[in-house]
Amino acid sequence: MIDFWRSPEPLRSDEDYMRAALALGRRGMGRTAENPSVGALVVRDGIIVGRGWTQDGGRPHAEPMALAEAGEAARGATLYVTLEPCSHHGRTPPCAEAIVAAGIARVVSAMEDPDMRVAGRGHALLRTAGIETIVGVCADEARRANRGHTTFAREGRAAVTLKLAETLDGYAAGGPHDPRLSITSAPANGVTHVMRAMHDAIMVGAGTARIDDPLMTVRAPGLDDARPLRVVLDARLALSRRSRLAASVDRAPALVLTDAKADAVRREALLAAGVETQNVKLTDNGRIDLRAALALLGARGLRRIFSEGGPRVGAALIAGGLADDVVIFTAPKPLGRRGAAALDDDARATLADPARYRMIEDAMIGPDRMRRYERIG
């Protein structure tokens, strides 16, 4: 990835500046819910005079930050922004009005905001004020960066990044009595922790929570203040109050999504340990309804969910069209015996179907191969 602030080559094109704005926007991922993490640059005569990104908690927005840094230099300049400037009054005035007041002459916007409170009105306000407005620069990159925001606006649910780790022969775990596998290397584990920090919540199923007893926290240098909500899908409320998750609520909050009829004694024990519970709809076979769970999380203001829920949850997310991004780490060594498959045949076939998913990245992270897929549509 280019370090736009130290690159020996000057930025020249709209695409260059927009990619720099997208890099700024990534700084806020996992910290800005319920707002999207937006990046903005003010450029005058080829010089970046103002930078901004959405701050923790979603305020202030990227545009007023960049305009404030630019000051008077914003007059007659170009603003690059990774999502359409807002046009509605909320807890802060509309960004589109701030852009007009600052004297910006030209706005380059990566994409229109599908939020019905905006939905083209921000761009229209800028054009009405006589500001040249260009939309669609680096649109694909912006669509990926804003996926949580757009998925909630269009589908009423949080977006999901599904992460799985597998041995070379496709297993996520050994047999029922095998010790827990350590599949991926330190570099891949480090990337996983960065991914966790860039999401609003980390989600696992009840089986993973029971068998692996994971902490589900961000543990990486420089990310000590990242505390995504930890979510367990647990219809029977089987999570132990003595689990590592329950014992670490002082480090990061925890939420169990369960059945309204779940055992009241278990519920009280978890609540006493500091673990929140919330009821959600079940499927006909008694499992957590994943779409309902993601709608509930979205309604709580969470937009980006990092699922490490294991093979069963992973397959269900893919089958339901709910795994918006899929990241698979494959280790160089096979298990060499029968174990628990990381994905079933149907899920693998869906990932290989060009009408359903496309591979957007195939890279080596240390000795491990990382493949990233995105859902079509």
Side-chain angles (χ1 to χ4, degrees):
M1 185 179 296
I2 298 172
D3 185 335
F4 291 98
W5 320 122
R6 295 179 175 85
S7 173
E9 294 296 323
L11 305 183
R12 295 188 177 91
S13 68
D14 283 346
E15 288 78 10
D16 286 338
Y17 289 116
M18 187 59 76
R19 290 191 180 100
L22 286 161
L24 276 176
R26 283 192 287 272
R27 294 187 179 191
M29 285 185 175
R31 301 172 180 269
T32 65
E34 58 191 45
N35 288 339
S37 184
V38 175
L41 288 178
V42 180
V43 179
R44 182 167 180 173
D45 299 327
I47 298 172
I48 296 173
V49 295
R51 300 182 298 165
W53 60 93
T54 311
Q55 295 297 289
D56 291 7
R59 299 287 191 286
H61 289 183
E63 299 95 321
M65 282 196 66
L67 294 171
E69 185 174 278
E72 281 301 310
R75 198 160 295 279
T78 296
L79 172 73
Y80 293 86
V81 62
T82 60
L83 182 67
E84 178 181 9
C86 63
S87 56
H88 61 285
H89 285 268
R91 283 180 279 174
T92 57
C95 290
E97 290 183 4
I99 293 166
V100 173
I104 289 288
R106 180 172 179 260
V107 170
V108 180
S109 171
M111 62 178 287
E112 184 175 297
D113 189 341
D115 187 326
M116 292 307 297
R117 297 171 298 177
V118 187
R121 295 180 184 87
H123 292 147
L125 190 154
L126 298 175
R127 291 186 175 113
T128 299
I131 297 174
E132 180 187 359
T133 304
I134 298 170
V135 181
V137 174
C138 297
D140 284 345
E141 294 98 315
R143 176 177 50 79
R144 293 182 186 116
N146 292 303
R147 190 185 293 276
H149 175 71
T150 59
T151 299
F152 185 75
R154 291 169 176 159
E155 300 183 37
R157 66 170 177 88
V160 175
T161 298
L162 169 63
K163 175 259 176 179
L164 295 165
E166 63 178 6
T167 59
L168 186 60
D169 45 0
Y171 294 111
H177 304 295
D178 285 355
R180 179 182 176 184
L181 291 181
S182 179
I183 295 175
T184 48
S185 63
N189 293 341
V191 169
T192 295
H193 281 279
V194 172
M195 289 180 179
R196 286 180 177 181
M198 296 176 72
H199 288 76
D200 305 323
I202 303 166
M203 183 175 76
V204 301
T208 297
R210 184 184 69 256
I211 297 168
D212 292 348
D213 194 19
L215 269 175
M216 297 166 59
T217 54
V218 176
R219 302 182 299 281
L223 296 174
D224 295 339
D225 60 342
R227 293 178 173 85
L229 176 68
R230 299 172 297 166
V231 179
V232 180
L233 306 172
D234 187 358
R236 297 180 180 178
L237 213 57
L239 182 71
S240 171
R241 62 183 179 86
R242 297 184 179 87
S243 64
R244 294 204 298 165
L245 184 146
S248 59
V249 291
D250 57 327
R251 295 177 56 184
L255 168 68
V256 177
L257 299 184
T258 190
D259 181 18
K261 299 177 182 177
D263 187 272
V265 174
R266 292 178 180 174
R267 190 186 298 268
E268 287 300 321
L270 287 174
L271 290 174
V275 178
E276 182 186 358
T277 65
Q278 193 162 355
N279 300 331
V280 69
K281 176 184 174 184
L282 302 186
T283 61
D284 291 341
N285 62 2
R287 300 191 187 281
I288 297 292
D289 185 305
L290 292 174
R291 186 173 293 275
L294 294 174
L296 183 153
L297 294 173
R300 288 174 64 111
L302 305 168
R303 301 291 188 261
R304 292 168 50 82
I305 311 300
F306 192 62
S307 175
E308 298 184 82
R312 180 178 289 168
V313 171
L317 286 167
I318 291 172
L322 301 171
D324 303 290
D325 294 279
V326 180
V327 180
I328 301 177
F329 288 99
T330 304
K333 294 182 179 180
L335 179 62
R337 59 185 185 278
R338 287 192 61 82
L343 283 176
D344 61 28
D345 291 342
D346 288 343
R348 291 190 187 275
T350 299
L351 283 179
D353 182 353
R356 302 282 298 277
Y357 281 90
R358 68 167 68 91
M359 185 189 292
I360 60 172
E361 189 174 3
D362 189 349
M364 296 303 295
I365 308 295
D368 303 311
R369 182 184 183 188
M370 183 186 77
R371 285 164 292 170
R372 185 190 298 265
Y373 302 82
E374 68 175 4
R375 185 172 61 86
I376 304 296

